[in-house]
Amino acid sequence: MTFSPELEKKLAKLIASYPPGKEKSALVPMLMFTQDEVGCITPELVQEVAKRLNIPPVQVDEVVSYYSMLHRKPMGKYHIQICTNISCLLWDADKLFEHACQKLGLGHKQVSADGQFSLEEVECIGACSWAPAIQVNYDFHHHVTPEKFDQIIDSLKKVQ
Amino acid sequence: MLYNEPSPLETRVLTRRFGLPNSAHIDTYLAHGGYRSFEKCLEMTQEQIIEEVKASNLRGRGGAGFPTGLKWSFVPRQSPKPKYIVVNADESEPGTCKDRVLMENDPHLLIEGVLIAAQAVGAKRGYIYIRGEYRYLIDIMDRAIEEAYSRNYLGKNILGRGIEFDLYTHTGAGAYECGEESALLESLEGKRGQPRIRPPFPAVAGLYQCPTVLNNVETFCAVPSIIEMGGKAWAELGVPKAGGTKLTCLTGHINKPGVYELRLGFPVEKMINEVGGGIRGGKKMKAFIPGGSSCPVLTGEEAWPLTMDYDSMAKAGTMLGSGGVIIMDEDTDMVKAALRIMHFYQHESCGWCIPCREGTTWLKKLLTRLDQGLGTSRDIDLVGDLAQNMLGRTFCPLGDAAALPTISIVQKFRHEFEAKIAKVQVAMPASANHPFVVVQ
């Protein structure tokens, strides 16, 4: 497997940031960065990462199954993550999530047929004082009302 | 960028550069006293630096509140092994969003704090473990680190003084458990984030089994001002036994939620009514959590007379924790709140220790049933008993973190659980496939 030159550069820098012999440390960041480009953790990607870090593929698999941001199946182009944890819940995040399900026609961890959107109910994303909060891929949106949510989705649809 | 208006009641020590134009840039940092504390440390011995931190009464800001100077003094500095600095930026305690604003607005403050810690223990390498969701902060920190290299504050010959220190960012991938120090180290070594048995503690055997200083972002960010002001003066900002200021995240049913830097010992009433603008809609406060969802819950009446510091909260039977204050008004459904909190811990339990893995799963089932009004009063007792039996029976504090809020909610708000049960009348037993029949 080959990656884009920018990603290759990033990975080389990443591996060099650990002491000699401790390259396995790069595993989680490497999976995160490559997932961003590949779309999800495919079996080929597991093999490739294992080869590059010189570890058995099973060690990669056990790590993939542990972390909730590593996905075996591709998420949508816009992965909508809605926090419903306690601080957001107190600002009606549960209703926001229901609204999002209806607006997108998706449930928890579902992907739209055209692959544009996916929805996930997530745990605390660290925006508790500006609740309710959502993340679209890595971008934060604070104080999200149902109306604001619709605007965000509609503007993403226009971009397509 | 600031997400909420600052309050005039804040004591801005760590956050004093917030709001300056281009506050994350090294030029802004240098123009406002940046890296002077590190330069001052170059003239101090390791003992002197550690003594200064001890004198400041700085206690770990991640939640456990362990004295930082003492933690640093445990590092065997004579050991031939390399020493490491690890920054815990895996901020994921529900209710907490303070490390994020520190790194976003003043990344060089964190770098300077790390440099001072490195100088104090003789470390040559450090990692900032940032949760995966905070990707934009990794970019901000990487840029700041690059700037620090270009100005010779990081590298093989820092400021021409022959000192070596390299600093790197490392991303997590979504696991609350990795905020626990030993699980974080496992994750940093490229493994599943499962806790280690302690002792040995990370100060002695941390990253790659080498001596490691591992602290929260806010803890490191406090260090430059301690060196600048002197430990004693810094201690006096707070209360006896806990010095300085604390970034406090006001969340929940409050008029002006936000992150505010307040002196330790700040009165709860003043914090809610004056800093936070009072309870939303002029309502009454039903429940109060001082420092993230792992802390035992207080009723409004219990919380009003307290002050925001470690001892005051401990006396009231809870913890100052991470400073993630969660405020719930009189209309809050406490059964739902207990269920949501348990839903989180059940999701995040790493599965390593059975009392936590099974306990959180069963508690979630019981609480779901109770929330639907389908439980019995025996279930309420069972929730309390089960949670009680998780306490102290796990390698890491996640088991306790799940049990403590649950026990306190059941104890203090039992009437709400009973009211839910009373509302729905259930005839049992019914057929095996439908054990509960709701009688309308």
Side-chain angles (χ1 to χ4, degrees):
Chain A
M1 258 178 122
T2 48
F3 305 113
S4 67
E6 299 84 55
L7 182 58
E8 288 290 358
K9 217 172 117 194
K10 197 171 179 173
L11 295 181
K13 198 178 155 212
L14 175 73
I15 293 177
S17 67
Y18 304 98
K22 306 291 183 193
E23 289 79 9
K24 191 187 168 187
S25 277
L27 181 52
V28 174
M30 201 165 172
L31 287 167
M32 285 287 278
F33 298 150
T34 50
Q35 174 178 264
D36 288 341
E37 189 167 293
V38 177
C40 67
I41 309 290
T42 59
E44 299 76 48
L45 182 58
V46 169
Q47 295 293 333
E48 180 66 24
V49 169
K51 198 174 84 193
R52 289 183 184 220
L53 295 179
N54 199 20
I55 54 176
V58 66
Q59 287 189 10
V60 180
D61 271 320
E62 66 173 22
V63 160
V64 173
S65 68
Y66 181 86
Y67 294 92
S68 57
M69 288 179 79
L70 300 174
H71 305 287
R72 301 263 190 190
K73 286 184 192 147
M75 290 290 137
K77 182 177 167 199
Y78 300 109
H79 185 44
I80 317 287
Q81 300 147 80
I82 301 185
C83 172
T84 60
N85 209 309
I86 185 76
S87 293
C88 284
L89 179 74
L90 296 173
W91 284 85
D92 294 330
D94 51 343
K95 295 191 184 83
L96 178 68
F97 182 70
E98 272 171 36
H99 174 82
C101 289
Q102 282 176 359
K103 170 84 183 168
L104 296 168
L106 298 172
H108 175 56
K109 284 197 176 173
Q110 286 182 349
V111 189
S112 65
D114 59 0
Q116 290 295 314
F117 290 98
S118 53
L119 183 64
E120 188 177 355
E121 181 181 5
V122 292
E123 296 300 346
C124 187
I125 52 175
C128 316
S129 287
W130 315 291
I134 71 168
Q135 267 192 302
V136 178
N137 298 336
Y138 290 112
D139 297 333
F140 280 91
H141 297 270
H142 297 143
H143 304 297
V144 183
T145 55
E147 296 73 41
K148 196 172 164 187
F149 182 82
D150 289 352
Q151 284 168 16
I152 295 167
I153 298 299
D154 294 340
S155 70
L156 292 175
K157 280 185 178 159
K158 269 186 206 142
V159 174
Q160 290 170 35
Chain B
M1 180 183 167
L2 295 174
Y3 301 111
N4 57 274
E5 284 294 310
S7 160
L9 295 166
E10 286 182 76
T11 305
R12 296 179 63 182
V13 180
L14 275 67
T15 60
R16 67 174 187 263
R17 275 174 290 262
F18 283 22
L20 291 174
N22 220 351
S23 70
H25 196 273
I26 193 165
D27 286 336
T28 313
Y29 191 64
L30 288 168
H32 292 85
Y35 290 112
R36 297 257 172 91
S37 298
F38 170 62
E39 285 173 36
K40 194 171 161 189
C41 282
L42 295 176
E43 314 304 328
M44 294 164 75
T45 64
Q46 294 184 324
E47 285 77 17
Q48 283 171 327
I49 300 172
I50 292 176
E51 282 311 312
E52 212 61 66
V53 176
K54 276 188 182 166
S56 74
N57 284 339
L58 172 64
R59 293 172 63 169
R61 298 295 194 236
F66 193 80
T68 306
L70 195 61
K71 199 171 186 179
W72 291 11
S73 71
F74 292 154
V75 173
R77 297 199 299 275
Q78 310 311 325
S79 162
K81 288 182 179 174
K83 284 130 207 113
Y84 293 100
I85 308 290
V86 177
V87 181
N88 185 343
D90 190 61
E91 174 170 74
S92 27
E93 176 72 21
T96 316
C97 46
K98 63 185 178 64
D99 298 340
R100 192 177 144 195
V101 293
L102 280 170
M103 289 187 284
E104 181 171 344
N105 291 289
D106 206 352
H108 286 283
L109 179 65
L110 175 59
I111 298 177
E112 186 173 6
V114 169
L115 273 167
I116 294 170
Q119 192 62 13
V121 300
K124 293 203 167 86
R125 204 183 261 267
Y127 295 96
I128 308 174
Y129 186 104
I130 303 178
R131 66 179 300 189
E133 289 86 347
Y134 287 179
R135 177 64 63 86
Y136 80 107
L137 288 177
I138 297 177
D139 297 338
I140 290 174
M141 283 312 309
D142 279 342
R143 211 173 309 136
I145 288 171
E146 240 169 70
E147 288 168 358
Y149 271 104
S150 73
R151 304 294 174 92
N152 224 356
Y153 286 103
L154 287 172
K156 304 293 173 209
N157 185 12
I158 294 173
L159 299 177
R161 303 287 293 264
I163 302 161
E164 179 186 340
F165 189 73
D166 288 305
L167 185 61
Y168 308 94
T169 55
H170 179 105
T171 177
Y176 169 74
E177 176 57 17
C178 292
E180 193 277 330
E181 59 178 14
S182 68
L184 184 150
L185 292 170
E186 287 287 296
S187 178
L188 186 48
E189 291 182 10
K191 297 179 234 166
R192 293 168 74 92
Q194 281 160 343
R196 294 174 180 172
I197 302 170
R198 281 158 299 165
F201 288 93
V204 179
L207 185 61
Y208 314 126
Q209 295 300 313
C210 295
T212 303
V213 167
L214 204 168
N215 285 119
N216 176 259
V217 171
E218 189 186 348
T219 313
F220 282 114
C221 287
V223 173
S225 52
I226 291 171
I227 300 296
E228 182 192 332
M229 297 167 68
K232 200 163 162 280
W234 203 84
E236 281 163 8
L237 290 172
V239 290
K241 285 203 245 167
T245 57
K246 175 91 193 73
L247 266 69
T248 307
C249 320
L250 296 184
T251 79
H253 297 145
I254 191 159
N255 281 319
K256 290 192 247 170
V259 179
Y260 303 97
E261 184 173 3
L262 305 174
R263 285 168 180 248
L264 278 171
F266 202 89
V268 168
E269 188 181 351
K270 201 171 167 188
M271 176 180 79
I272 293 177
N273 287 336
E274 295 178 34
V275 178
I279 306 292
R280 197 177 66 172
K283 297 210 164 128
K284 277 193 192 146
M285 177 164 72
K286 185 195 269 185
F288 175 90
I289 306 181
S293 69
S294 308
C295 303
V297 178
L298 298 178
T299 63
E301 296 78 57
E302 285 174 318
W304 283 117
L306 300 178
T307 54
M308 290 296 286
D309 59 84
Y310 300 91
D311 288 350
S312 159
M313 288 300 161
K315 255 187 230 155
T318 184
M319 306 180 288
L320 186 69
S322 59
V325 174
I326 306 171
I327 290 157
M328 304 185 211
D329 72 13
E330 56 189 295
D331 297 335
T332 311
D333 179 343
M334 293 308 290
V335 184
K336 207 174 230 27
L339 171 61
R340 187 61 189 86
I341 291 173
M342 190 50 64
H343 180 280
F344 169 70
Y345 290 107
Q346 189 269 336
H347 181 264
E348 299 297 339
S349 172
C350 77
W352 191 237
C353 315
I354 297 161
C356 173
R357 183 184 68 210
E358 297 300 314
T360 53
T361 305
W362 280 103
L363 283 171
K364 188 178 124 184
K365 286 181 187 169
L366 279 166
L367 288 166
T368 304
R369 200 151 82 195
L370 286 164
D371 182 46
Q372 292 165 343
L374 297 176
T376 64
S377 70
R378 214 180 120 249
D379 288 336
I380 310 175
D381 297 328
L382 195 56
V383 167
D385 285 354
L386 230 153
Q388 199 72 43
N389 274 300
M390 287 162 66
L391 286 180
R393 292 190 166 87
T394 49
F395 285 132
C396 90
L398 199 148
D400 290 3
L404 288 169
T406 311
I407 293 170
S408 60
I409 293 177
V410 171
Q411 255 171 15
K412 292 171 187 174
F413 301 97
R414 193 185 170 99
H415 54 279
E416 291 197 23
F417 290 79
E418 279 166 352
K420 277 214 171 178
I421 298 171
K423 232 164 119 186
V424 180
Q425 288 200 350
V426 180
M428 5 178 354
S431 75
N433 295 332
H434 302 282
F436 298 107
V437 175
V438 178
V439 182
Q440 294 299 341

